[in-house]
Amino acid sequence: MAPPRFIHSLGGVQHGFADLRDLLAKASPARSGDLLAGIAADSARQRAAAQMALADIPLKLFLQELLVPYETDEVSRLIVDHHDGTAFAPIAHLTVGDFRNWLLADDTDSTVLAAVAAGITPEMAAAVSKIMRNQDLILVARKCRVVTAFRNTIGLQGRLSTRLQPNHPTDDASGIAAAMLDGLLYGSGDAVIGINPATDNVPQVIRLVEMMAELITRYQIPTQSCVLTHVTNTIAAIERGAPVDLVFQSIAGTEAANRSFGIDLALLAQARAAASSLGRGTVGQHVMYFETGQGSALSANAHHGIDQQTCEARAYAVARHFEPLLVNTVVGFIGPEYLYDGKQIIRAGLEDHFCGKLLGLPMGCDVCYTNHAEADQDDMDALLTLLGVAGCTFVMGVPGSDDIMLNYQSTSFHDALYVRRVLGTRPAPEFEAWLHRMQIFNGEQQFRLHDDMPPGFRHALARLG
């Protein structure tokens, strides 16, 4: 048995860690997925020793020692081949602990963080997050400013967008239309109107895409639509002439995990080119929408012994390469096997948002949990508020916060209104102007109280149904 690579003495006890993967895993805050994988720290003392040892690691070491071999993993090759040495230069001399201090310094502002983003690898971001408190993750993420655009501008200072999620268990047109109109009347939908189809095939995808395109065109809504189907279905829909705005795909942090999703980098490049060729954006042409979540690589048995949060950060390298409009961590969706309770979900959501923003991504979060997790809506209120303070790009808008098709708990149209009001944030500017034109907003940036729908919407449900 080889001697440990990294050793730290704590309380008179020496703790050894075999390699970088082991050190990162042992330094992670406790979560059920790492315990399931058999890689978590066996005590709080061991975790603290790992965090202290990790703080002394030079950032350069992550460029010299890859967690997954370059020769066998295209995500590793992507990270190495596209690393920007010039952007890395200002922080190249730092250890992980120094990097934390540098990130928290007042002089490290949005401009400075944007300049170094391309020089930060996912492993560096994951490493520093493991030695940060929740307040550290919030403070640094709030300083990161990532702006993207398609039919409106996402991520501007003082803005919080929402994905309107009008899912229906049978893809019923009237039910979907009712949820869309309900969400729009509450100011939801500026990030995207995105449907998870219950029946996932190309003809159904085309029908849903055309339905949303009709609504957006008829009412001149400055937003974008997306059907969250497999990327190959979206490519086929584009080839058949469907008015596709955004291409969706779930992604992960290793080649093997992405293969389990039926994708690779070449396929994502093909999809991006297909959507870009349509030129449907008006103020920008960011056409990709990615979703991630801690635990996906482990559930596919494709984690290579890497902790789930570091695997998640590696997924952000895939996302960053394709310059997406939106990236969403569906933080509590996979279940308690990976994030056991509200405390673990809150920590994971803040970690994901921090790492994504630090790497230059427009990060949103589906603040959610499954019904068999040890969590409730109070936990989600706490995470929603913390992410709002942290400058989260967008959150979900689900009717009643209960997705009746996917059968999980998320955030509602009212929840988004709450966080906007308590933090003084507003929708994307183009969408906000549309809310005024449609008489949904009044002149004081507040919603009008309607006995009936605004005139422009009064008969929309009957027509679309």
Side-chain angles (χ1 to χ4, degrees):
M1 184 175 179
R5 284 278 315 281
F6 306 100
I7 298 173
H8 190 86
S9 181
L10 183 64
V13 177
Q14 275 199 341
H15 298 269
F17 307 97
D19 51 28
L20 268 181
R21 282 184 298 186
D22 186 41
L23 182 61
L24 286 165
K26 297 298 191 292
S28 279
R31 62 207 55 195
S32 51
D34 292 338
L35 287 168
L36 181 66
I39 60 175
D42 58 23
S43 67
R45 184 183 294 270
Q46 186 187 43
R47 181 174 300 110
Q51 290 170 341
M52 295 172 77
L54 182 61
D56 291 333
I57 296 296
L59 291 180
K60 287 181 178 179
L61 188 62
F62 294 103
L63 298 174
Q64 299 162 4
E65 298 186 21
L66 303 185
L67 302 186
V68 187
Y70 181 94
E71 296 76 15
T72 60
D73 186 90
E74 68 173 359
V75 177
S76 291
R77 293 194 291 275
L78 180 72
I79 292 168
V80 172
D81 295 347
H82 291 270
H83 182 254
D84 188 329
T86 301
F88 181 60
I91 57 173
H93 61 291
L94 300 177
T95 64
V96 173
D98 294 332
F99 187 36
R100 172 189 175 273
N101 295 337
W102 182 84
L103 289 170
L104 291 169
D106 289 340
D107 290 343
T108 306
D109 58 16
S110 299
T111 301
V112 173
L113 289 168
V116 302
I120 302 170
T121 70
E123 292 84 357
M124 294 174 193
V128 74
S129 75
K130 295 176 191 299
I131 63 168
M132 298 175 83
R133 293 173 58 184
N134 285 0
Q135 65 176 246
D136 300 337
L137 300 174
I138 292 167
L139 176 60
V140 176
R142 186 174 180 84
K143 294 195 288 185
C144 297
R145 184 62 47 202
V146 183
V147 179
T148 57
F150 190 75
R151 287 201 192 95
N152 57 34
T153 310
I154 306 293
L156 294 168
Q157 182 74 32
R159 306 281 174 169
L160 174 66
S161 295
T162 57
R163 170 189 159 192
L164 203 173
Q165 186 169 310
N167 296 343
H168 193 278
T170 64
D171 289 339
D172 176 74
S174 295
I176 292 172
M180 284 195 292
L181 291 170
D182 188 28
L184 290 167
L185 288 168
Y186 281 103
S188 183
D190 53 331
V192 63
I193 303 175
I195 300 175
N196 299 87
T199 305
D200 197 2
N201 56 57
V202 175
Q204 181 73 339
V205 168
I206 293 174
R207 186 176 76 86
L208 293 172
V209 166
E210 290 177 341
M211 177 185 179
M212 290 187 287
E214 178 187 354
L215 178 76
I216 289 170
T217 300
R218 178 179 295 172
Y219 296 104
Q220 299 181 311
I221 308 172
T223 191
Q224 37 282 330
S225 71
C226 184
V227 175
L228 282 72
T229 185
H230 193 269
V231 64
T232 53
N233 287 341
T234 305
I235 293 172
I238 292 172
E239 290 172 345
R240 297 186 193 184
V244 169
D245 290 340
L246 305 184
V247 176
F248 165 81
Q249 184 55 49
S250 294
I251 57 173
T254 69
E255 179 179 341
N258 283 324
R259 195 182 306 122
S260 76
F261 289 149
I263 63 166
D264 58 21
L265 300 181
L267 182 60
L268 295 177
Q270 179 187 349
R272 182 190 183 194
S276 296
S277 71
L278 301 180
R280 292 179 56 79
T282 55
V283 296
Q285 292 296 331
H286 294 105
V287 297
M288 303 300 285
Y289 173 22
F290 294 119
E291 286 194 345
T292 67
Q294 289 192 24
S296 59
L298 175 58
S299 67
N301 195 27
H303 62 103
H304 299 278
I306 304 169
D307 68 273
Q308 65 183 40
Q309 192 253 328
T310 302
C311 280
E312 171 75 2
R314 283 172 57 93
Y316 302 155
V318 176
R320 179 167 65 175
H321 184 64
F322 295 100
E323 299 180 306
L325 179 75
L326 305 165
V327 180
N328 177 36
T329 171
V330 193
V331 65
F333 184 74
I334 302 182
E337 299 82 4
Y338 305 95
L339 296 169
Y340 179 72
D341 57 15
K343 182 178 178 66
Q344 291 187 10
I345 291 171
I346 289 169
R347 174 69 191 191
L350 295 176
E351 287 172 349
D352 294 351
H353 179 253
F354 162 84
C355 288
K357 291 285 282 294
L358 190 61
L359 293 168
L361 288 174
M363 285 301 296
C365 184
D366 190 343
V367 178
C368 64
Y369 63 102
T370 58
N371 289 315
H372 61 310
E374 290 294 322
D376 58 28
Q377 214 63 33
D378 287 340
D379 296 314
M380 300 305 101
D381 286 350
L383 179 54
L384 174 65
T385 305
L386 293 172
L387 286 169
V389 173
C392 189
T393 301
F394 71 104
V395 295
M396 302 299 108
V398 177
S401 77
D402 182 8
D403 192 305
I404 58 174
M405 196 279 281
L406 293 174
N407 195 29
Y408 79 115
Q409 307 302 310
S410 185
T411 49
S412 70
F413 307 140
H414 301 78
D415 294 332
L417 285 182
Y418 146 74
V419 76
R420 280 176 175 165
R421 286 175 176 171
V422 77
L423 297 177
T425 53
R426 295 151 59 188
E430 300 88 347
F431 190 80
E432 182 183 47
W434 177 82
L435 291 171
H436 284 290
R437 290 198 302 272
M438 295 299 291
Q439 301 177 357
I440 298 170
F441 264 12
N442 65 18
E444 285 72 44
Q445 308 293 341
Q446 296 176 344
F447 284 86
R448 296 181 59 188
L449 297 178
H450 297 288
D451 294 328
D452 194 6
M453 289 185 182
F457 275 170
R458 191 166 291 129
H459 305 295
L461 181 58
R463 279 185 245 152
L464 286 174

